[in-house]
Amino acid sequence: MANTEEGTRVAGVWLAIASILLAGALVGHGPIDPDMGRQMGVITDDPVRWAIIHWVSAVALSLFVLTGLIVLAARSRLTEAWWTLSAWGVLTVGALWTMTTAVAEATVVSAAAAAGDTATFEAWWAFSEGKANGFMFLALAVAVIAGNEAQTTHRATPVWASYIAVVAGIGAFLGWPLGMWLGVTLGSFVWVVASLVMSLWTLWFGLGLAPTVIRAAASQWVTSSP
């Protein structure tokens, strides 16, 4: 039991950190233009900024992977049902897929845009877009996790907040294909806003799971300080 509780709390710490980083990256990222030429122009205007945003995203998504692995190993109340166990597994795989997109955009895509190399940009943009589909399933997994949290007795966030996260997760899941597959500009905007709201809930959720770890770390820091 002690290991299960400790695993859940540590996962909460990493989830909170990942959520802060992802929320910041989403604010800087903004909606994606469905026209590839215009999107390349956006990146060309400030490739360093685009690279930084995606390095931050890569770190955030890596921490989502770490969170998922810890939760799956802890075998806590978060994974008691088959659908929540599956959701945490999908979150982990979805974050891993999308993390490769972030690295590609921080390196090859940014460099190709800065150099005006359209052929390289288009090839790697297609790769990045394909791998980024993992974010759809990460968002859907968060919706399932939030829905379960709303129904549980020992919840880490209020019921209303969890249900907002369900809607946000579904919104991000649907907004991505609308914007990227169908070229609907509003879809990309919905994806960004819904993903941001979803990230704010996972931050709250992580902090709700992690208070003991945070207090212990603060106490240790105070004790060790001169």
Side-chain angles (χ1 to χ4, degrees):
M1 179 65 71
N3 289 338
T4 295
E5 292 177 353
E6 185 69 10
T8 301
R9 293 164 184 160
V10 172
V13 172
W14 290 121
L15 180 60
I17 296 171
S19 300
I20 292 172
L21 294 174
L22 184 60
L26 285 165
V27 170
H29 191 287
I32 300 172
D33 197 305
D35 183 275
M36 188 182 298
R38 287 198 297 266
Q39 183 62 39
M40 183 177 179
V42 170
I43 301 171
T44 302
D45 288 341
D46 198 347
V48 174
R49 173 177 167 274
W50 192 258
I52 291 172
I53 288 170
H54 284 85
W55 277 124
V56 172
S57 299
V59 173
L61 291 162
S62 297
L63 293 181
F64 270 101
V65 173
L66 177 61
T67 298
L69 293 174
I70 293 173
V71 170
L72 291 170
R75 299 182 65 83
S76 67
R77 69 168 183 83
L78 300 178
T79 56
E80 286 180 343
W82 68 266
W83 59 86
T84 52
L85 180 64
S86 299
W88 282 103
V90 170
L91 180 145
T92 304
V93 175
L96 183 60
W97 263 59
T98 315
M99 183 266 291
T100 58
T101 291
V103 173
E105 294 213 34
T107 54
V108 183
V109 170
S110 297
D117 186 346
T118 303
T120 300
F121 179 87
E122 289 180 350
W124 279 91
W125 183 260
F127 169 84
S128 299
E129 185 178 336
K131 295 290 284 186
N133 288 327
F135 195 91
M136 290 173 51
F137 300 101
L138 183 154
L140 189 61
V142 170
V144 172
I145 292 165
N148 178 72
E149 194 63 18
Q151 299 297 320
T152 191
T153 303
H154 305 291
R155 61 183 66 93
T157 62
V159 173
W160 62 266
S162 297
Y163 279 127
I164 288 175
V166 171
V167 174
I170 294 173
F173 175 76
L174 297 176
W176 179 262
L178 282 174
M180 300 305 295
W181 298 358
L182 302 178
V184 179
T185 304
L186 180 61
S188 186
F189 178 78
V190 169
W191 167 72
V192 172
V193 173
S195 297
L196 180 58
V197 173
M198 181 185 76
S199 298
L200 294 177
W201 179 80
T202 56
L203 169 59
W204 193 350
F205 183 47
L207 292 174
L209 296 174
T212 303
V213 173
I214 293 173
R215 286 198 299 268
S219 175
Q220 183 178 4
W221 182 82
V222 170
T223 303
S224 61
S225 297

